[in-house]
Amino acid sequence: MPEQNVIDPVIQMPRKVKLAGDPKLPFHIALTATDSSYSQWQCRIMYYWYKKVKDLPGSDMGGFTRVLHSGKPDNLMDEIPTFVVDPLPAGLDRGYIVLNRPWAFVQWLEKANIPEEYILMAEPDHIFVKPLPNLANEKYPVAFPFFYIKPAENEKILRKFYPEEKGPVTDIDPIGNSPVIIKKTLLTKIAPTWMNVSLGMKDDPETDKAFGWVLEMYAYAVASALHGVQHILRKDFMIQPPWDTEIGKAFIIHFTYGCDYSLKGELTYGKIGEWRFDKRSYLRGPPPRNLPLPPPGVPESVVTLVKKVNEATANIPGWDTEDKEQRNQNS
C-alpha cells in the first residue's frame, strides 16, 4: 500500500514519486462533449485557447480530440478534430448526461489511433491560461483535488464499491476524471471499471441521492483506487472563479460556477448580480461577442476569464453568425 501522502500548500503527492529524472512526453488532449449548442460553444472557446498556447515554450501539449458521444457527426467536425462514439443505450443515463463520459473514453481508447503515450482528460469549460507541461509521472497520474469530493465522509456508501479488503477509503483520491493527465496504458485499464462503477452507483438509489451531480467523479476516483492507482494532486492545475480570485501559477480556468457581482464589485453568489457571467445563461445559444467586463473591484480571475472568452469569440470565424442563427431558432 502506498505510504502516507506528503502535503504541501501547492502539491500533494505519494512519497514514492520522483520529481526529477523522468523525460517529459507529449500528452493528447481529450474532452468528451455532446452536439448541443451549450457544449459546442464551450468546446470552440476551449479549442481556440489550446491552439493559442500549444506551441509556446514549456508546453508538452500534443494532439487534440473532441470525443463526441452523440453518435453522429455535427457541424463542428471541420473546425475541431473530433472522434464520434456512441452514447449509452437510450434511458440508461437517466438524464445524467455525464454518465456517457466513461463509456465515451472506453470506445475512444479502443478504436482511435492515439500517438501520444499520455492523455489529458479535459472538459469544454476549461480555458488554458498558459502552456501546460506534462505534470504526470509514469506510474502516477496528476489530478486536481476537489474540495467537495470527500471519501472519508462517505465511507458507508463507498464500501459498496470499494470493499474493506482493498484498503482504507482514504486511498480514494479526492478527484474527478478531469483535469487528469494519465498514461494511456493506465487509463485503458481504469476506463471500463470507471464505466461499470458509474452505472452501479447510478443504479443504487442511496448512492445516487448522496452523490448527485458529482457521482461520475466519485466513480473515477473509486475505479482508480480499485486498480491501485494514486494521483499526484496539484492545486495549481486549475482555478475556479469566483472562489479562486487570482490566476497565480494556474494552468487552467474552470468556469463551472456563476460569477455574480454588484456594480460595486461585491460578490453576490446565489443571487443574480447586476453584473454576471454564468455559462448557464447560454444554454440554448453561444454568448455574444464583446461581453461587458466586470465592474472595478472584481477579482483578477473573473476579469481574465471574461477577457479570454471575448478574445476567443472575437477571433473564431462565424461566431456572430451562429449566435444570430441560434437566436432565430429559439425565438
Side-chain angles (χ1 to χ4, degrees):
M1 188 170 66
E3 297 175 37
Q4 181 73 26
N5 281 5
V6 175
I7 298 179
D8 176 273
V10 176
I11 302 172
Q12 301 178 39
M13 67 184 71
R15 289 183 189 273
K16 293 180 181 179
V17 174
K18 294 180 181 178
L19 283 181
D22 284 352
K24 289 305 178 185
L25 298 169
F27 55 87
H28 195 96
I29 293 84
L31 70 155
T32 54
T34 72
D35 59 2
S36 71
S37 176
Y38 180 61
S39 178
Q40 286 184 332
W41 69 256
Q42 293 175 55
C43 289
R44 297 179 84 192
I45 292 173
M46 198 270 197
Y47 185 58
Y48 172 87
W49 283 104
Y50 156 78
K51 291 189 294 182
K52 187 96 173 178
V53 305
K54 174 185 181 292
D55 296 322
L56 296 178
S59 169
D60 290 317
M61 301 165 82
F64 186 104
T65 301
R66 180 181 62 134
V67 184
L68 182 64
H69 54 74
S70 299
K72 60 184 186 300
D74 67 358
N75 60 340
L76 293 183
M77 303 297 290
D78 294 334
E79 180 178 331
I80 303 174
T82 299
F83 192 92
V84 179
V85 297
D86 293 327
L88 289 167
L92 201 58
D93 66 14
R94 297 191 190 127
Y96 181 55
I97 196 72
V98 292
L99 211 60
N100 287 277
R101 186 177 291 152
W103 173 222
F105 271 108
V106 168
Q107 295 174 82
W108 178 62
L109 290 164
E110 185 180 293
K111 298 175 182 178
N113 178 24
I114 309 159
E116 295 89 352
E117 292 302 314
Y118 287 81
I119 291 166
L120 164 66
M121 292 188 282
E123 293 182 18
D125 59 358
H126 288 175
I127 288 177
F128 292 107
V129 180
K130 60 183 181 183
L132 180 59
N134 188 344
L135 303 170
N137 178 284
E138 184 174 1
K139 294 181 180 178
Y140 295 95
V142 65
F144 176 80
F146 289 91
F147 70 90
Y148 48 78
I149 302 296
K150 301 177 179 180
E153 294 182 15
N154 291 281
E155 179 164 6
K156 178 176 176 288
I157 290 172
L158 289 172
R159 284 303 183 198
K160 297 180 181 183
F161 309 94
Y162 191 74
E164 286 191 24
E165 58 266 25
K166 297 297 292 185
V169 291
T170 49
D171 284 351
I172 300 171
D173 290 325
I175 61 172
N177 83 289
S178 176
V180 167
I181 302 176
I182 184 170
K183 204 157 195 291
K184 185 169 57 180
T185 50
L186 281 182
L187 183 56
T188 301
K189 292 176 183 176
I190 292 169
T193 307
W194 172 27
M195 181 186 72
N196 290 331
V197 172
S198 295
L199 293 171
M201 286 183 168
K202 192 66 181 172
D203 274 340
D204 183 74
E206 183 186 21
T207 307
D208 188 22
K209 182 180 179 181
F211 291 162
W213 65 274
V214 298
L215 180 147
E216 168 268 339
M217 296 173 70
Y218 269 104
Y220 175 79
V222 169
S224 299
L226 287 170
H227 285 276
V229 175
Q230 281 197 312
H231 296 68
I232 302 167
L233 305 183
R234 294 281 299 241
K235 291 182 181 178
D236 61 345
F237 206 160
M238 73 179 186
I239 59 165
Q240 303 186 99
W243 309 116
D244 298 307
T245 57
E246 297 178 356
I247 300 295
K249 296 181 179 180
F251 296 97
I252 294 169
I253 295 176
H254 182 209
F255 58 97
T256 189
Y257 296 105
C259 300
D260 287 275
Y261 289 87
S262 72
L263 294 182
K264 295 180 180 179
E266 300 162 333
L267 181 65
T268 62
Y269 191 78
K271 177 185 175 184
I272 294 177
E274 296 170 287
W275 179 93
R276 77 179 327 222
F277 175 75
D278 186 338
K279 66 178 184 178
R280 294 162 194 83
S281 299
Y282 309 103
L283 290 171
R284 298 195 296 170
R289 284 176 165 163
N290 198 28
L291 292 168
L293 292 178
V298 171
E300 171 201 27
S301 62
V302 179
V303 176
T304 303
L305 166 60
V306 178
K307 285 181 175 178
K308 288 191 175 293
V309 169
N310 280 346
E311 179 180 332
T313 60
N315 289 284
I316 295 172
W319 189 272
D320 274 349
T321 304
E322 178 168 317
D323 184 23
K324 289 172 184 172
E325 289 175 353
Q326 196 71 41
R327 278 188 278 122
N328 288 337
Q329 289 173 13
N330 294 330
S331 61

